[in-house]
C-alpha cells in the first residue's frame, strides 16, 4: 500500500484499454490518484481514473501542456507510466519508412521521451519520482516483422537507463517492464495460427494478463522498490530468460 507522503498523482498513457486500463486500476487500489492520457476514450468511464485527457503522446506540445495542466489541477506528479504503444508490422525490406517505421518510433519511443521530458523537471524540483516504461520481450530478442517495434522498445530501455543515471541522486527511479505475450487487443489482432503457436511457447502454460503487468508496475512504483533503478523486469511466463 502506498502510504508514504510522497506525491501520489500518477499519469498512465494508453489508459483506455488493455494493459493501461489494468495498470490504472491496480495503481488506484494502491493509493495513487491516476490520470489517464490516451488518444481516444471508450464511452464508459473507467472508475479508477481521476481524469481522462485526450493526448497524442507523439505530440510534444500536447504532452507538455497536459502535464502542466495536471500539476496545476491535481497536484504533484509522482509517477509516470509510459504504456501507450502501437504495432505496424512488416518485414524490414517491405516496411514503409513513414506509415510503419516512423509511426511506431514516434509513439513507442519518442512518445515515452515526451512524457519523461515534461514530467522530469517537476520531479527533479521535488527530488522524488517514479518512471515505469512498458517495453517488450521483443526488445531483447528482436521479432520477425517488427524491426520498427523492437527497435523502439529497445531504444526505450537505453533511454530509461540513461534517465536512471541522470536522476538517481534526486530520488527518481526509472525502470522498464518487458512483457511477454499478453492477452489484449494488440495480440488478438495477430493471425490465429501464429497466436496459438506463440501461446504454446510459454513455459508457465498460459498467456499473460494485463493484471500480470500491472502488478509489476505497482511494485516498481512502491517505496519497496526505491533501491531499484535502470532495470528491466521481464514478465513473460518464462518465455525468455535474458
Ligand atoms: P492495446 O490494447 O493496443 O492498447 C494500446 C493503448 O495505447 C490504447 O489505449 C491506445 O489508444 C493507446 N495509444 C496508442 N497510440 C497512442 C498515442 N499516440 N497517444 C496516446 N495513446 C495511444 O495495447 P496493449 O496490449 O494494452 O499494450 C500496452 C503496451 O504494452 C504497449 O506499449 C505495448 O507495446 C506493450 N506490450 C504489449 C504486449 C502484449 O502482448 N499485449 C507485449 C509486450 C509489450 P486507442 O484506444 O485510442 O487506440
Amino acid at each position: 500500500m502506498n502510504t508514504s507522503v510522497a506525491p501520489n498523482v500518477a499519469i498512465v498513457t494508453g489508459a483506455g484499454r488493455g494493459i493501461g486500463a489494468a495498470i490504472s486500476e491496480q495503481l488506484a487500489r494502491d493509493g495513487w490518484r491516476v490520470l489517464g492520457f490516451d488518444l481516444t476514450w471508450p464511452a464508459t468511464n473507467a472508475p479508477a481514473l481521476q481524469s481522462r485527457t485526450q493526448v497524442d503522446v507523439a505530440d510534444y506540445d500536447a504532452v507538455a501542456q497536459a502535464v502542466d495542466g495536471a500539476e496545476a489541477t491535481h497536484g504533484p506528479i509522482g509517477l509516470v507510466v509510459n504504456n501507450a504503444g502501437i504495432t505496424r508490422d512488416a518485414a524490414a525490406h517491405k516496411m514503409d519508412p513513414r506509415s510503419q517505421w516512423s509511426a511506431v518510433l514516434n509513439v513507442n519511443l519518442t512518445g515515452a521521451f515526451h512524457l519523461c521530458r515534461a514530467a522530469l523537471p517537476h520531479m527533479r524540483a521535488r527530488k522524488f519520482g517514479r518512471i515505469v516504461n512498458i517495453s517488450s520481450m521483443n526488445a531483447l530478442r528482436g521479432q520477425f516483422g517488427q524491426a520498427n517495434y523492437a527497435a523502439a522498445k529497445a531504444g526505450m530501455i537505453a533511454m530509461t537507463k540513461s534517465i536512471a543515471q541522470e536522476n538517481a541522486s534526486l530520488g527518481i527511479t526509472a525502470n522498464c517492464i518487458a512483457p511477454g505475450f499478453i492477452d489484449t487487443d494488440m495480440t488478438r489482432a495477430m493471425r490465429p495460427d501464429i497466436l496459438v503457436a506463440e501461446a504454446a511457447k510459454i513455459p508457465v502454460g498460459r498467456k499473460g494478463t494485463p493484471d500480470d503487468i500491472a502488478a509489476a508496475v505497482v511494485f516498481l512504483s512502491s517505496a519497496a522498490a526505491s533501491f531499484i533503478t535502470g532495470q528491466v523486469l521481464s514478465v513473460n511466463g518464462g518465455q525468455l530468460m535474458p
Side-chain angles (χ1 to χ4, degrees):
M1 186 74 182
N2 174 38
T3 52
S4 69
V5 290
N8 73 339
V9 174
I11 292 174
V12 178
T13 67
R17 59 193 171 99
I19 292 170
I23 291 170
S24 302
E25 279 167 30
Q26 287 204 26
L27 286 173
R29 281 205 294 274
D30 198 48
W32 292 93
R33 292 190 293 134
V34 185
L35 317 180
F37 286 9
D38 211 325
L39 208 49
T40 57
W41 286 100
T44 52
N45 199 358
L49 297 174
Q50 302 276 318
S51 70
R52 311 193 307 170
T53 306
Q54 199 223 329
V55 185
D56 178 354
V57 296
D59 177 348
Y60 178 68
D61 292 339
V63 172
Q65 194 179 4
V67 166
D68 292 344
E71 281 265 335
T73 307
H74 297 279
I77 295 161
L79 165 66
V80 296
V81 182
N82 281 298
N83 166 77
I86 59 171
T87 53
R88 298 285 184 271
D89 293 359
H93 64 283
K94 295 180 188 164
M95 187 173 283
D96 185 86
R98 284 166 290 276
S99 67
Q100 293 178 312
W101 176 268
S102 295
V104 168
L105 269 288
N106 288 345
V107 174
N108 296 11
L109 177 58
T110 308
F113 165 72
H114 286 162
L115 183 55
C116 293
R117 172 66 184 85
L120 272 166
H122 297 290
M123 292 176 167
R124 287 171 64 91
R126 290 188 289 267
K127 295 189 167 47
F128 179 85
R130 296 279 178 270
I131 295 171
V132 181
N133 293 330
I134 308 301
S135 178
S136 169
M137 176 172 71
N138 292 345
L140 307 171
R141 63 170 193 177
Q143 177 70 336
F144 190 102
Q146 290 199 324
N148 51 358
Y149 183 86
K153 295 294 190 179
M156 181 185 247
I157 291 173
M159 179 187 77
T160 304
K161 291 181 178 184
S162 305
I163 289 172
Q165 289 174 37
E166 291 165 3
N167 294 283
S169 66
L170 292 174
I172 299 165
T173 67
N175 292 288
C176 280
I177 292 168
F181 192 88
I182 311 300
D183 190 15
T184 68
D185 294 343
M186 185 176 273
T187 45
R188 280 178 220 128
M190 291 164 68
R191 241 175 50 202
D193 55 321
I194 296 177
L195 213 154
V196 170
E198 282 299 314
K201 292 177 193 161
I202 304 171
V204 303
R206 67 170 176 87
K207 290 178 275 189
T209 67
D211 276 332
D212 290 322
I213 306 308
V217 174
V218 168
F219 169 63
L220 288 174
S221 308
S222 71
S226 62
F227 201 54
I228 300 173
T229 194
Q231 303 303 309
V232 182
L233 177 55
S234 287
V235 183
N236 63 23
Q239 191 175 353
L240 184 75
M241 302 185 187

